[in-house]
Amino acid sequence: MDILYDVALRPAGFVATILGSALYVALSPATAITSLQPPHDTFKTFADFIIVNPYKFTFTRPTGDYNFPQTEK
């Protein structure tokens, strides 16, 4: 049953990746302003949250496995 749910959620993850990419580009000027204060990793943190996590959910996670680690250690 998990695989059925996963097949239904994969397109939503793809849409989230595309929308996240567009939102990242649109909010880049605001991100640049917030990266002036230390720590200077705002671009990476924002990209990880809005682009990389949906990408990993959609393309790198095995089908039906919701416990797959999203972050690299």
Side-chain angles (χ1 to χ4, degrees), residues 25-70:
V25 170
L27 294 177
S28 287
T31 306
I33 292 170
T34 61
S35 70
L36 294 175
Q37 297 293 326
H40 303 289
D41 63 348
T42 307
F43 278 106
K44 183 187 179 315
T45 304
F46 188 50
D48 284 346
F49 179 71
I50 204 162
I51 299 171
V52 175
N53 286 341
Y55 174 82
K56 286 182 179 180
F57 177 82
T58 305
F59 297 109
T60 63
R61 184 179 49 85
T63 304
D65 185 9
Y66 294 105
N67 295 322
F68 189 71
Q70 295 290 327

Side-chain angles (χ1 to χ4, degrees), residues 3-28:
I3 294 174
L4 259 168
Y5 293 133
D6 195 21
V7 169
L9 287 176
R10 293 279 174 153
F14 180 72
V15 170
T17 303
I18 299 300
L19 291 177
S21 299
L23 190 62
Y24 182 79
V25 170
L27 294 177
S28 287

